[in-house]
Amino acid sequence: MSDRNTFILQDVINDLVDTNNSIESALFKLYYFGRLIKNEKLIQYTNAEINGYGELSPPSYRKAKASLTIKMQAGYHQHTAELPISMLEEPFNTELQYREIKDGIKVLERLSRSSNQEGSWLLTTNLPMEMLGYIQPAASKLYKSDARLVVTQGIITVNANVVIQIISTVRSRLLAFCMDIAEEFGYDIQITSFKTQEVINNQTINNIINTQITNNGNGNVNNTGNDTELYADISLKKDI
């Protein structure tokens, strides 16, 4: 059991290797460890994974490729179709290509369970109405109609499997981080001893965070997700 004098890293490792356990337990313990040793980088990372990234930019493993579905009105007829994001004008053709998944790990675990129970699901984000005017030219160019065609809704869609991949990635990177920490400081870390060289030791931990967590696979974006900063009306729906 960890206390203010000794942090037992093996407790965290046990949480991570048991896939039946929520990752949140390991994150809370590492958050506590970060507070004990006054490591701001570890505090910020664990807090963001627990509570969500908010205004922070998440690691690349939380970015996923997206698609754009539009609803259109042409006279008395309504149509739903996909619109290639690459057809949009700058900056929307780049900003809407990916979606950043910023929710806390507990929320993602709940979504993952829903996806597993119900089959293939989608994460959807409704675009603000004021953005539809920027989508209209591309829609009119791609879909020809004798009647005037009006885009009435835009939906950013991500395959919910990206959530499962994020959870797996967080678990594996935290485990690699903990194993490297154990090699440097042992499985029972003496806090008093650690603080005798606090600056140097925290720099070592920061380097391991950069190597194993935040920069590991940097630039590798999930193939089932998006990088836009749109957060309205995020929901799940069945992929049929």
Side-chain angles (χ1 to χ4, degrees), residues 9 16 27 30 41-42 45 49 53 59-61 166-184 203-218 220:
L9 195 57
L16 292 171
L27 285 166
L30 288 173
K41 197 175 189 71
L42 183 58
Y45 173 75
E49 285 292 339
Y53 279 82
S60 60
Y61 61 77
I166 290 171
I167 294 169
S168 179
T169 299
V170 172
R171 188 182 295 274
S172 64
R173 293 191 182 190
L174 285 178
L175 182 58
F177 168 75
C178 289
M179 297 303 291
D180 281 1
I181 291 295
E183 287 186 13
E184 289 287 338
Q203 184 58 55
T204 298
I205 288 182
N206 288 343
N207 290 337
I208 297 174
I209 291 174
N210 289 336
T211 301
Q212 296 293 359
I213 298 179
T214 56
N215 290 342
N216 191 336
N218 188 32
N220 294 332

Side-chain angles (χ1 to χ4, degrees), residues 36-195:
L36 285 177
I37 63 175
K38 295 182 173 58
N39 187 290
E40 290 300 324
K41 197 175 189 71
L42 183 58
I43 292 171
Q44 184 182 68
Y45 173 75
T46 51
N47 182 65
E49 285 292 339
I50 293 168
N51 295 310
Y53 279 82
E55 298 301 317
L56 298 175
S57 179
S60 60
Y61 61 77
R62 276 177 166 268
K63 298 180 181 181
K65 190 73 174 176
S67 60
L68 172 61
T69 300
I70 58 173
K71 293 185 178 182
M72 300 167 286
Q73 183 83 32
Y76 295 105
H77 302 285
Q78 295 181 339
H79 305 276
T80 299
E82 183 174 347
L83 180 67
I85 294 175
S86 59
M87 291 187 64
L88 302 180
E89 297 292 333
E90 287 284 0
F92 304 107
N93 59 349
T94 54
E95 290 182 353
L96 295 180
Q97 281 189 45
Y98 302 98
R99 177 165 171 241
E100 295 181 339
I101 311 297
K102 293 192 171 188
D103 304 88
I105 201 71
K106 196 75 170 180
V107 175
L108 298 187
E109 289 177 330
R110 178 179 59 80
L111 291 177
S112 176
R113 288 192 296 272
S114 298
S115 177
N116 286 335
Q117 292 171 1
E118 303 295 339
S120 180
W121 288 74
L122 301 174
L123 290 172
T124 64
T125 305
N126 288 332
L127 295 178
M129 292 292 292
E130 59 267 24
M131 286 191 63
L132 299 184
Y134 298 102
I135 297 173
Q136 184 70 51
S140 299
K141 182 178 180 180
L142 183 63
Y143 298 105
K144 304 298 183 181
S145 173
D146 293 334
R148 181 172 178 268
L149 186 147
V150 178
V151 176
T152 58
Q153 187 176 7
I155 306 167
I156 293 293
T157 303
V158 175
N159 190 309
N161 286 337
V162 68
V163 172
I164 300 172
Q165 185 57 57
I166 290 171
I167 294 169
S168 179
T169 299
V170 172
R171 188 182 295 274
S172 64
R173 293 191 182 190
L174 285 178
L175 182 58
F177 168 75
C178 289
M179 297 303 291
D180 281 1
I181 291 295
E183 287 186 13
E184 289 287 338
F185 304 103
Y187 288 90
D188 296 344
I189 302 175
Q190 302 300 316
I191 302 302
T192 301
S193 175
F194 183 97
K195 288 186 175 181

